Amino acid sequence: MLGLALATLAMDTESGSAATTTTTITPPGGPPPGPDPGLARATTAGRAGAAFYGRAFDTCQAPSADTMRRWRESDYGAVGVYFGGRGRACPNQQHLSRDWLRSVDEMGWGVLPLYVGSQSPCVVAQNKQHVRIGQNPARQGAREGGDAVGKAQDLGIAPESPLYLDMESYRQSDRACARDTLAFVRAWNREVRSQGYVPGFYSSANSGVRHMDEARRQGVDDLPEVMWFARWNGEPDLYGEPALGRDAWLPGGRIHQYAGNVTERHGGRTITIDRNLVDAPVATLG
């Protein structure tokens, strides 16, 4: 996310400014479908088919369990973690493990697992050029989808959990590139779904997200089941995103990353994060 945000680093430190105060908001675009659960932390995190509605943050390096405990005083209720993929900016996760996931689950956190695999052949970010999709995108997508499932299982993430494919901003107006990117994404989705997991997708609203919605309008199958869109406008809006069809990926299938590379301090610990508003599933632990 950082590229959009893949350069973000967690700063587990005792120093810094006073805690950031985040006010409760009602998302623009209207309330979520059905009864509005508000922005309180979801109480269903950690159970099969768990849904989450509320605030979440993601950061390149999963924070320590102690930092996650301290951040319970914030109004965040879920955390995005980068659990695999050859395109991860922080491949050496210092804390992420089965024990870490069990610990944060017991604290009440929801977890959004992110997989940063091969990137579009026309990816914009210079630091992703070396991990572009190759000449057989469907085969590569299936292989990396299997890798995502294997790494999720190694961490104790159970079937029925979402796995979010991170595809950084690309030039989807390049038709050949868009074709290969879509083939990769669809194959990744098929493989993840075939093994009992829920395929999600993260990208820039005006790039990959718009591309997926165009494919949906054309009747393409094997598309993501959850859409995590980055539009850094500072205004959380799950339901009014112009790149998505009004009724697409609803209910319970959207995440808006509305701010990136911001620093917050809670419980005496400072982290540089991306801010998200979530109406989507979180991981279940086996």
Side-chain angles (χ1 to χ4, degrees):
M1 292 189 173
L2 306 150
L4 305 174
L6 273 175
T8 295
L9 296 175
M11 296 188 294
D12 239 5
T13 170
E14 297 292 342
S15 63
S17 58
T20 297
T21 301
T22 308
T23 56
T24 301
I25 55 166
T26 300
D36 185 355
L39 285 170
R41 294 186 181 94
T43 58
T44 55
R47 297 203 293 269
F52 179 86
Y53 180 80
R55 297 181 186 275
F57 74 92
D58 65 270
T59 188
C60 192
Q61 182 75 242
S64 69
D66 184 54
T67 295
M68 294 300 295
R69 185 174 297 106
R70 291 166 181 257
W71 268 53
R72 287 302 288 163
E73 73 174 37
S74 73
D75 64 355
Y76 293 108
V79 57
V81 296
Y82 294 87
F83 75 97
R86 73 190 189 106
R88 276 191 302 178
C90 294
N92 299 317
Q93 293 285 326
Q94 300 172 25
H95 306 296
L96 185 59
S97 66
R98 275 179 175 259
D99 288 344
W100 185 90
L101 284 170
R102 180 64 60 190
S103 178
V104 299
D105 181 69
E106 290 172 354
M107 293 177 203
W109 289 99
V111 174
L112 301 161
L114 283 147
Y115 184 89
V116 191
S118 295
Q119 298 295 296
S120 173
C122 51
V123 62
V124 174
Q126 288 301 308
N127 67 343
K128 297 292 183 239
Q129 300 299 314
H130 67 293
V131 291
R132 289 179 294 175
I133 296 166
Q135 295 184 350
N136 195 322
R139 182 180 301 171
Q140 191 171 359
R143 183 171 64 248
E144 294 190 26
D147 180 63
V149 169
K151 284 184 168 51
Q153 291 174 340
D154 288 345
L155 289 169
I157 297 173
E160 299 185 23
S161 297
L163 303 179
Y164 293 94
L165 176 64
D166 183 323
M167 187 67 67
E168 295 298 312
S169 181
Y170 58 95
R171 301 179 182 87
Q172 97 276 10
S173 58
D174 180 329
R175 293 187 179 182
C177 176
R179 180 193 62 228
D180 288 352
T181 305
L182 183 59
F184 176 93
V185 173
R186 294 177 66 208
W188 194 92
N189 294 342
R190 282 193 298 271
E191 185 62 28
V192 166
R193 189 180 288 114
S194 75
Q195 297 197 45
Y197 290 79
V198 177
F201 182 78
Y202 166 88
S203 191
S204 163
N206 287 329
S207 169
V209 171
R210 188 177 299 279
H211 185 196
M212 292 303 120
D213 193 66
E214 289 172 356
R216 178 192 64 83
R217 293 172 187 272
Q218 294 166 7
V220 175
D221 59 8
D222 297 321
L223 294 178
E225 295 182 28
V226 186
M227 196 59 62
W228 190 338
F229 55 95
R231 187 179 291 282
W232 289 6
N233 56 7
E235 297 292 337
D237 184 357
L238 287 168
Y239 315 112
E241 170 52 46
L244 293 174
R246 183 175 179 84
D247 300 320
W249 286 283
L250 292 174
R254 293 191 181 193
I255 303 173
H256 180 196
Q257 186 183 85
Y258 61 92
N261 295 331
V262 295
T263 299
E264 293 191 24
R265 184 172 176 85
H266 302 284
R269 293 293 172 87
T270 301
I271 313 177
T272 300
I273 64 169
D274 301 330
R275 294 170 176 161
N276 305 274
L277 185 60
V278 180
D279 181 13
V282 293
T284 300
L285 301 186

